[in-house]
Amino acid sequence: MMSAFGQDAGHASSDGVPVVFLSGMLADQRMWYRALHAYAGLDEPAKPAMVPVFCELFDHDTVADMARAVLKRAPDRFALVGMSMGGYAAFEIMRQAADRVSHLMLVNTRATADSEAVRRRRLLLSRIVAAKEPFVAVNDGMLDEMLHHDNRNDPTLVSLLSEMGSACGAGVFGRQNHAVATRPDSMTDLGNIAVPCSVIVGTHDRVISPQSHREMANAIPDATYLEIPGAGHYVPLEQPVIFAGLLAELLGR
């Protein structure tokens, strides 16, 4: 498994805005490579320079501990991009150290906590996965739910998701699943977000609905809300050029 933090972690730079990227479950910094390549290729003279900071959420089983680990390694002030589970950690970072965050992007995530029934199912799944070998990170049913149908049979994308999940393994899955299951509800905190914020979701996200994203965006003062066509639960991978443009717009605010 790769190290808990990418090589850029913790190092601010005068060359651009430090942007901390937090991936979803069973994903590593490769989740962002397509989007970062697209960002570099944007033909926009006013595009802010950016320094990516990769913080992998592999080693902790609560979002509070994830947030503390990120804050320990991140620059003093940074923009924050949280996708899916990474969004749950982002909410906790805002609770612990909002003054260190300059911009916030929430991608394919939600602010509500799991219901008690969903929480029990998640924790049961962790026990089932721990007892079963070999670990299967990605299956056809998951891909059907998570990807837009136009991307479902993209061999490069499907292979990447499988490779990232397999590299993480069952231990990371168990810790991350526990963190997701036990995360607090963040809806009441949304009104306290006082930095430029964008909320982004794929039109075909069947894991976390666009409706829940709209409700989240409506609760954040002055947040922008965008539904991205041709994407499901993995906007940065499925529509990297659109994602890159939206990130440039946010960093320019």
Side-chain angles (χ1 to χ4, degrees):
M1 183 185 300
M2 59 195 303
S3 64
F5 290 86
Q7 61 181 6
D8 293 316
H11 299 286
S13 170
S14 60
D15 295 330
V17 179
V19 181
V20 171
F21 291 93
L22 304 180
S23 302
M25 288 185 65
L26 295 178
D28 56 43
Q29 65 190 50
R30 288 174 287 179
M31 174 63 64
W32 308 102
Y33 286 179
R34 287 188 177 187
L36 293 177
H37 179 75
Y39 193 95
L42 288 176
D43 185 18
E44 297 182 11
K47 174 184 68 178
M50 177 186 63
V51 179
V53 179
F54 300 115
C55 295
E56 314 288 29
L57 306 175
F58 294 154
D59 300 326
H60 306 282
D61 65 359
T62 69
V63 293
D65 285 343
M66 288 177 174
R68 280 189 283 269
V70 172
L71 289 167
K72 183 177 180 180
R73 297 292 302 274
D76 290 340
R77 189 162 172 81
F78 54 90
L80 181 59
V81 179
M83 177 198 157
S84 195
M85 180 195 70
Y88 309 151
F91 289 129
E92 185 63 33
I93 288 169
M94 295 301 293
R95 280 190 286 271
Q96 293 185 19
D99 60 317
R100 291 180 58 183
V101 178
S102 63
H103 303 76
L104 178 64
M105 178 176 275
L106 301 168
V107 188
N108 298 105
T109 192
R110 59 162 60 97
T112 54
D114 281 347
S115 68
E116 185 59 34
V118 171
R119 183 179 299 112
R120 287 197 300 268
R121 287 198 295 271
R122 283 193 192 275
L123 297 176
L124 175 60
L125 179 61
S126 290
R127 292 195 293 272
I128 292 172
V129 168
K132 185 178 180 180
E133 293 185 1
F135 174 66
V136 178
V138 175
N139 58 49
D140 287 341
M142 292 169 58
L143 293 172
D144 290 342
E145 287 293 306
M146 291 184 167
L147 294 175
H148 186 278
H149 56 79
D150 288 344
N151 304 315
R152 173 63 181 84
N153 295 311
D154 177 340
T156 303
L157 177 53
V158 170
S159 177
L160 174 60
L161 293 173
S162 298
E163 289 171 5
M164 289 193 297
S166 296
C168 288
V172 169
F173 173 79
R175 289 188 289 275
Q176 291 183 340
N177 201 42
H178 184 273
V180 170
T182 59
R183 72 187 188 278
D185 191 286
S186 297
M187 285 298 294
T188 58
D189 298 316
L190 298 182
N192 298 325
I193 295 175
V195 297
C197 179
S198 294
V199 177
I200 299 171
V201 61
T203 56
H204 287 67
D205 190 339
R206 284 172 285 181
V207 178
I208 306 176
S209 71
Q211 175 60 32
S212 68
H213 287 80
R214 284 193 293 272
E215 293 170 357
M216 183 166 59
N218 287 339
I220 299 172
D222 300 318
T224 60
Y225 169 72
L226 301 112
E227 294 183 18
I228 310 305
H233 192 61
Y234 293 105
V235 169
L237 285 174
E238 296 183 79
Q239 294 293 342
V241 175
I242 296 175
F243 176 88
L246 294 174
L247 179 57
E249 186 277 331
L250 174 66
L251 295 179
R253 286 163 58 187

